[in-house]
Amino acid sequence: MPNTSGDAYGASSVANALRTLVYVRGQGSVRVTDVSDHLGVARSTAHRLLSTLRAHGFVEQEPGGRRYRPGPALVGLSRAGRDERDLVRVARPQLEWLRDATSETTNLLVLAGPDSFFLDGVESSRQLRVAPRTGDHVPAYATAGGKALLSELSPEALRMRYPAGLAALTPTTLPDLDALAADLAACRRRGYALNLDESVTDVQGVGVCVRDKLGSSVAAVTIAAPSTRLGRARAAQLAPLVRQAAERITAGL
């Protein structure tokens, strides 16, 4: 007779993980003791469950606290089950406002596995301009919005998205995961992400996360412009406008 005890134990662990995800999503934020009481398991077991879910991006710890909230992977699963036209509908007026405020092309994008998926965009009216990339999939590590969203992931979840490392799209694409981690740390410090000719030569961008009511990132807003017109200095000047557009979208969700 085959030994099925390992399978039974695995099924129990999966069941507890699924129950934890449903519980976290319903509560908004939880403590280890909350999960322990909800599942009827030891606190050490609840802590291991949450740590595993955090490593895979399904939950994340609130800054400076001991509470856990839905992570990008869980938010992404929830988003996948509903029509993203609602997000586009809320964001479109703010993309138009941001285009008018900066005179640059604006985009709305989400994470799709290792890629950025461009949901919508509004084109600049300048003679020399960057076209929107609506409908395109581009490696997230090479886009401003993608890096803004990747900066929300744990180091373990980030590595899992790129098990084979980073493929070069241009000569200035980040070379490896260590360089990406350093870039994302800089993104978190300054509050916005940069794309400096990393997906298309002579095109640069600035990206900021859009958050849901629970504070989890669900999308990103970007501006894109020719390198001759953007650069680090102007990116720093325009970043507050990108952040304002993202906050307005958040308020409308």
Side-chain angles (χ1 to χ4, degrees), residues 74-236:
L74 180 56
V75 172
L77 285 175
S78 300
R79 186 182 64 237
R82 70 174 186 264
D83 196 338
E84 287 182 331
R85 286 180 298 182
D86 287 341
L87 179 57
V88 172
R89 175 183 56 80
V90 172
R92 170 50 79 118
Q94 305 311 324
L95 293 179
E96 293 174 347
W97 172 84
L98 183 61
R99 185 271 315 271
D100 294 342
T102 63
S103 297
E104 304 297 358
T105 296
T106 60
N107 292 289
L108 175 74
L109 56 88
V110 295
L111 278 184
D115 294 340
S116 301
F117 175 58
F118 287 76
L119 288 177
D120 197 15
V122 179
E123 192 167 13
S124 168
S125 60
R126 294 195 182 205
Q127 184 172 2
L128 178 62
R129 60 186 182 271
V130 175
R133 303 200 64 170
T134 305
D136 284 355
H137 285 263
V138 181
Y141 58 78
T143 69
K147 288 199 281 186
L149 292 165
L150 291 177
S151 73
E152 302 278 301
L153 300 181
S154 68
E156 296 88 351
L158 182 66
R159 285 195 296 271
M160 288 183 63
R161 286 188 186 246
Y162 305 106
L166 311 184
L169 304 183
T170 74
T172 55
T173 302
L174 295 171
D176 52 43
L177 283 170
D178 288 340
L180 176 59
D183 191 285
L184 298 182
C187 166
R188 288 189 291 271
R189 287 194 300 270
R190 64 177 172 251
Y192 60 90
L194 293 173
N195 164 17
L196 302 176
D197 303 316
E198 294 162 49
S199 59
V200 178
T201 300
D202 295 329
V203 173
Q204 300 191 357
V206 182
V208 175
C209 286
V210 173
R211 301 183 184 277
D212 64 11
K213 300 299 184 184
L214 299 176
S216 297
S217 58
V218 295
V221 174
T222 71
I223 57 171
S227 300
T228 54
R229 199 162 63 233
L230 193 53
R232 289 182 181 272
R234 187 163 183 253

Side-chain angles (χ1 to χ4, degrees), residues 29-41:
S29 68
V30 300
R31 300 167 299 175
V32 171
T33 53
D34 297 329
V35 174
S36 172
D37 293 343
H38 179 69
L39 298 179
V41 299

